[in-house]
């Protein structure tokens, strides 16, 4: 809805998105995989007669994960496996710079730091949405002095959240899940002993862990008394499995 920028008067039926359907018998690994692929954290559940039963959410999946072996990993391991640099902005940067980083790196949260590289807060794209799409506020927003300035020219510090929950790299994914569920937040910033941010772990990252764990099983093919034609079919099957 946000990306498409529908006018306010557009009917709901014109804006519908059809996400993957979940069955009551699906494993949490498959649900995590569907959320990962669709980038939607609320999926509808249908029975075998196509009757709508309700929705399942990423937070419910995370709650179920607490007994899974994958949550025993440390946050340091999670950051290492992400293989992505930490994307941050200074508190004195303009919102236009933050918007550029959101778009360029396809992320929804930025870590805000001071000039000494210490953690200052979190800037979420979703917190900016009211200022970007609300009628009469898209181009301008008043600052404290009463002057009218463009939102893009305003400073990050005017929009960021300073109440940021953190964990050390030695903490586990289970620790992060418990904190995120208890505090109703979507991310945890990992910091070192000097309060320098090392990375950020989000609900998306945790879903990816579970989805990857569910697809990491090895597959083997055993053939007995096969002809040359069967061997050829088996090779084709093996190639297909390796590619998928």
């Amino acid at each position: 809805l946000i990306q498409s920028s529908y006018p306010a008067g557009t009917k709901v039926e014109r804006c519908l998105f059809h996400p993957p359907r979940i069955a009551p018998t699906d494993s949490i690994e498959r649900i995590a995989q569907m959320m990962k692929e669709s980038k939607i954290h609320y999926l509808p559940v249908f029975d075998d007669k196509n009757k709508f039963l309700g929705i399942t959410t990423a937070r419910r999946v995370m709650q179920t994960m607490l007994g899974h072996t994958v949550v025993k990993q440390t946050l340091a391991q999670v950051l290492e496996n992400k293989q992505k640099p930490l994307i941050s902005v200074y508190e004195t940067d303009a919102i236009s710079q933050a918007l550029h980083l959101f778009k360029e790196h396809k992320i929804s949260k930025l870590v805000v730091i001071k000039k000494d590289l210490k953690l200052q807060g979190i800037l979420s794209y979703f917190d900016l949405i009211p200022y970007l799409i609300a009628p009469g506020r898209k181009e301008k927003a008043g600052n404290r002095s009463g002057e009218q300035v463009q939102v893009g020219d305003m400073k990050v510090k005017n929009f960021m959240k300073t109440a940021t929950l953190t964990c050390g790299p030695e903490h586990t994914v289970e620790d992060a899940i418990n904190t995120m569920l208890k505090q109703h937040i979507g991310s945890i910033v990992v910091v070192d002993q000097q309060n320098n941010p090392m990375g950020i772990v989000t609900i998306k990252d945790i879903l990816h862990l579970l989805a990857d764990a569910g697809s990491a099983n090895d597959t083997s093919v055993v053939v007995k008394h096969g002809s040359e034609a069967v061997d050829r079919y088996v090779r084709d099957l093996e190639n297909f499995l390796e590619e998928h």
Side-chain angles (χ1 to χ4, degrees):
L1 186 64
I2 296 164
Q3 293 175 350
S4 302
S5 300
Y6 290 106
T10 306
K11 301 297 183 183
V12 170
E13 62 183 356
R14 301 293 300 273
C15 313
L16 293 180
F17 171 77
H18 299 283
R21 294 187 172 196
I22 300 300
T25 55
D26 283 337
S27 65
I28 60 169
E29 289 87 357
R30 183 179 186 277
I31 296 173
Q33 182 67 33
M34 294 299 98
M35 290 181 174
K36 172 184 174 181
E37 293 178 359
S38 66
K39 300 180 181 179
I40 301 295
H41 291 176
Y42 303 83
L43 295 182
V45 182
F46 291 83
D47 63 14
D48 55 0
K49 296 182 181 179
N50 203 34
K51 179 182 177 181
F52 174 67
L53 302 177
I55 64 171
T56 186
T57 68
R59 293 187 180 277
R60 289 183 179 270
V61 172
M62 288 169 57
Q63 197 168 26
T64 308
M65 284 178 64
L66 291 175
H68 202 286
T69 56
V70 73
V71 302
K72 303 304 179 183
Q73 295 185 52
T74 65
L75 297 183
Q77 291 174 299
V78 175
L79 295 180
E80 182 178 356
N81 292 331
K82 284 181 69 171
Q83 297 180 342
K84 290 184 178 180
L86 175 64
I87 309 300
S88 61
V89 290
Y90 292 119
E91 59 179 343
T92 53
D93 282 342
I95 287 296
S96 58
Q97 169 66 8
L99 293 173
H100 171 74
L101 292 173
F102 283 136
K103 182 177 181 180
E104 179 183 6
H105 298 281
K106 298 180 180 179
I107 54 179
S108 61
K109 291 182 175 64
L110 288 169
V111 173
V112 183
I113 57 177
K114 299 180 181 179
K115 290 297 183 180
D116 61 1
L117 306 184
K118 302 297 182 184
L119 177 65
Q120 184 67 5
I122 286 285
L123 179 68
S124 171
Y125 176 76
F126 298 102
D127 291 336
L128 298 178
I129 290 174
Y131 301 96
L132 299 175
I133 67 173
R137 297 176 67 181
K138 185 174 182 180
E139 295 297 331
K140 294 182 179 181
N143 59 17
R144 294 181 179 178
S145 64
E147 298 177 354
Q148 293 294 316
V149 296
Q150 291 186 359
V151 172
D153 293 335
M154 297 183 72
K155 303 299 183 184
V156 167
K157 62 182 179 182
N158 294 328
F159 297 89
M160 69 180 188
K161 292 179 179 178
T162 56
T164 305
L165 292 177
T166 62
C167 281
E170 73 283 356
H171 287 90
T172 65
V173 174
E174 186 173 28
D175 295 330
I177 290 177
N178 281 322
T179 301
M180 293 165 76
L181 291 177
K182 182 178 180 180
Q183 300 296 331
H184 302 284
I185 57 176
S187 62
I188 291 282
V189 179
V190 184
V191 297
D192 60 18
Q193 294 181 350
Q194 287 73 42
N195 202 38
N196 295 316
M198 301 172 59
I200 184 170
V201 176
T202 65
I203 291 178
K204 177 181 176 182
D205 295 325
I206 294 175
L207 290 176
H208 281 208
L209 285 176
L210 183 59
D212 293 342
S215 61
N217 297 325
D218 293 333
T219 303
S220 61
V221 179
V222 179
V223 180
K224 295 183 178 179
H225 312 298
S227 65
E228 182 177 347
V230 171
D231 290 340
R232 185 168 62 252
Y233 290 135
V234 170
R235 286 195 298 272
D236 291 341
L237 175 60
E238 288 178 328
N239 291 334
F240 176 82
L241 292 174
E242 288 178 357
E243 293 174 0
H244 295 78

